[in-house]
Every structure is written in structure tokens, then in C-alpha cells.
Amino acid sequence: MIIFDIMKKNKSPRSPVGVFDSGIGGLTVAGSLFEILPNENIIYFGDTARLPYGTKSKETVTKYSIEITKFLLNKNVKMIVVACNTASSVALHHLRKISDVPVIGVIKPGSKAALAVTDNYKIGVIGTLGTIQSFAYKTQIHKLEKDVEVFSKACSLFVQLAEDGWTENKIAELVAKEYLSEFIKLKIDTLILGCTHYPILKKTISKVLGKKIRLIDSGEETAKEVKRLLEQFHLLNPQKAKGKHRFFVTDFQKKFKEISERFLGQPIHDVKKVKLN
Ligand code: DGL
């Protein structure tokens, strides 16, 4: 309801959409947005100096997320997409309080998509420690549907595997088996990939779990939701030209370019390092 009230406020459809993440992983979400909304100008913010968020306290993640939200609001964005699952899990309601534009997280779109496809109402959720310990997915799913069993597991090593590009080798398969075998025993039919990095490991996860277990990419579902909301409130950018994509980071890692291209599937230009107050 709050979102709809805010949407009615006059923001220019030509304003950019702001997206943020703890670092580079959110580029998987940005990639979905670029694909589904080619004419939108998008500002991506990656807090590369302070990642990971997944192992930090909710107070710290909230503080960082508020700082980034203020930065994006200063760039006159018409909407903010919290690509980071950890930040979406613990900080979303705080961000909505300080924002005069809608703030969209990844938890609800991912949960809705899982509920739409499950047949046996046994859903698995994987994410960072912060996301899993917050119970954000479980709570959201149960808000939408009471009679569902939700099984959650933190799969911390997947983040490093994705960043190192070890996505389809023996190590990745071994780690995936160790983390995910119990989901097969629990007979889930749907698994939510509740972390920005996990879609990079989709092939290996699917190989370990088998084709019958459906994988839900929360980022992809969020991109669809963003499009739906922009359409509904006549905020789609009317320009015919391709949208401009700008990237802001708080630190340049040595492997930034290589990792970011793997996550986004295309080279990135126009990256600026900034300091947050
Ligand atoms: N972006 C984070 C998430 O989706 C994963 C990486 C991190 O822990 O910062 O939860």
C-alpha cells in the first residue's frame, strides 16, 4: 500500500532506477533489469569496500544500506531496487521510511514466484547467513500462504566460488552436494536462490538436485516486478534510445572488471569510485 501511495507522487519517468548491492553480485539483478527494461537509465551501486554483508550484523547492514539509499536519492532516482538479499532481509522497512520513492526488495518477488510453481508445498531457501538467520523468506512465504513447509540453509561458500569463477568444476559440485543433499531427502520441489551470487552456480545446483526441483532466481523475479510496477504507474521511460547504465563502487578490487563481466554477461563501462558519508 505504501508503495502505491509513493508511486502516485510525481517522479519523472525519465529519472533513473537505482539498484544497489553489497558489491558485485547484484549485477545478476542489474543484468535482468537491463534485459527486461532496455530503455531505462539505471544507476548501480556496489559497496565493494564493505562487502560481504552476509556475515555482518543487521545493524551494520542497515546502516550501510541507509547510506547507499541516501546516495541514490541524491541522484534523483524514481525507484530503488535492493538487489542484495541480505540487505532486503534486514533493512527494507528502514529504507522505506527514509525514501520518497518506492524501495523494492528481492524477498517478496522470489517468495511469490516459488509459491506460484510449487506443487507439493515444500520449498527450500538458500542464502547468506544473514539472510537465513533473519527468516525473511520463511516469514514472507508464510504471510502469503500458511500451509507451506519452508526449509532454509546458509550456503556461504557459494559466494566465493561464484567470485572465483569456480562454478562448474569438481569443487563446486562437491560443495553443492554437501550443502544441498538434504533438500533432496526433504523432498522439496522448489528452491529459492536467495543470494545475488547463486544464479551463477545454477548449472551445478541443478545437476546436484536434479531437473525436477525448480530453481527460483529472486533477482529475475524482482526485475519482472519492477517492470510491472513502472508500467502500472506510468513511470516507464518513454525514450526510444537504449538506457544509460552508470556504476558506482566504494572500492576497486583488482579483479573487479573480470568478476563483474562474469556476473553481468557483458563488459561494464562508466564505473566511478565514490566515498559515502
Ligand atoms: N549480495 C549478498 C546477498 O545477496 C551476497 C554477498 C554478501 O554477503 O555481501 O545476500
Side-chain angles (χ1 to χ4, degrees):
M1 200 56 202
I2 300 165
I3 288 181
F4 303 117
D5 290 343
I6 295 174
M7 281 297 219
K8 283 181 202 143
K9 282 190 187 166
N10 281 334
K11 269 277 159 192
S12 164
R14 291 182 190 273
S15 297
V17 173
V19 184
F20 84 82
D21 180 47
S22 54
I24 295 162
L27 289 172
T28 55
V29 185
S32 298
L33 286 166
F34 295 172
E35 212 177 295
I36 207 168
L37 293 163
N39 306 106
E40 292 299 328
N41 300 322
I42 295 178
I43 296 180
Y44 180 90
F45 190 101
D47 197 3
T48 43
R50 302 189 291 193
L51 60 80
Y53 281 10
T55 50
K56 294 196 168 67
S57 70
K58 64 177 182 214
E59 290 76 19
T60 300
V61 174
T62 302
K63 179 177 171 283
Y64 293 171
S65 303
I66 287 174
E67 287 169 10
I68 300 168
T69 297
K70 287 182 181 165
F71 175 90
L72 291 172
L73 291 173
N74 276 331
K75 298 274 174 220
N76 196 31
V77 294
K78 62 184 172 189
M79 181 185 275
I80 294 175
V81 181
V82 185
C84 179
N85 285 255
T86 311
S88 292
S89 296
V90 303
L92 204 63
H93 57 288
H94 298 285
L95 307 184
R96 286 186 172 149
K97 271 188 215 156
I98 60 155
S99 175
D100 63 346
V101 299
V103 184
I104 314 298
V106 289
I107 309 297
K108 196 168 181 186
S111 303
K112 268 189 183 170
L115 281 169
V117 299
T118 183
D119 289 319
N120 70 1
Y121 286 72
K122 289 178 196 277
I123 296 175
V125 181
I126 53 175
T128 64
L129 200 61
T131 297
I132 299 306
Q133 285 181 342
S134 75
F135 298 109
Y137 273 106
K138 200 170 185 166
T139 309
Q140 180 63 66
I141 291 170
H142 283 147
K143 245 190 219 169
L144 296 165
E145 171 67 63
K146 277 201 186 80
D147 291 327
V148 197
E149 281 183 272
V150 182
F151 307 99
S152 313
K153 185 156 186 132
C155 301
S156 317
L157 290 177
F158 281 169
V159 169
Q160 201 54 53
L161 288 173
E163 290 198 4
D164 284 349
W166 288 18
T167 53
E168 283 167 43
N169 64 11
K170 275 187 204 150
I171 311 277
E173 206 173 311
L174 216 66
V175 173
K177 266 190 193 145
E178 191 67 32
Y179 279 140
L180 304 175
S181 297
E182 66 182 86
F183 284 120
I184 300 173
K185 286 188 207 128
L186 290 164
K187 296 195 171 16
I188 62 159
D189 71 352
T190 306
L191 180 74
I192 299 178
L193 306 178
C195 173
T196 48
H197 288 59
Y198 299 177
I200 305 285
L201 289 143
K202 227 176 195 172
K203 264 195 191 161
T204 299
I205 293 174
S206 192
K207 191 172 170 192
V208 166
L209 289 178
K211 292 242 148 47
K212 280 191 191 146
I213 298 182
R214 296 180 192 98
L215 303 183
I216 301 294
D217 179 342
S218 284
E220 216 172 272
E221 298 305 326
T222 303
K224 290 183 207 161
E225 176 73 1
V226 168
K227 184 176 183 199
R228 198 185 62 71
L229 287 169
L230 291 176
E231 269 168 3
Q232 189 178 345
F233 295 96
H234 310 289
L235 276 174
L236 279 176
N237 195 322
Q239 69 181 350
K240 294 274 178 290
K242 265 189 129 192
K244 276 199 193 114
H245 303 153
R246 296 163 68 199
F247 301 86
F248 293 91
V249 291
T250 44
D251 193 23
F252 274 120
Q253 294 161 271
K254 273 196 189 131
K255 283 173 55 171
F256 179 79
K257 246 187 156 328
E258 177 201 319
I259 301 175
S260 54
E261 285 182 23
R262 185 175 328 118
F263 276 68
L264 191 58
Q266 54 179 275
I268 74 167
H269 313 282
D270 201 1
V271 190
K272 226 185 204 163
K273 184 178 157 186
V274 289
K275 230 179 175 174
L276 287 177
N277 295 321

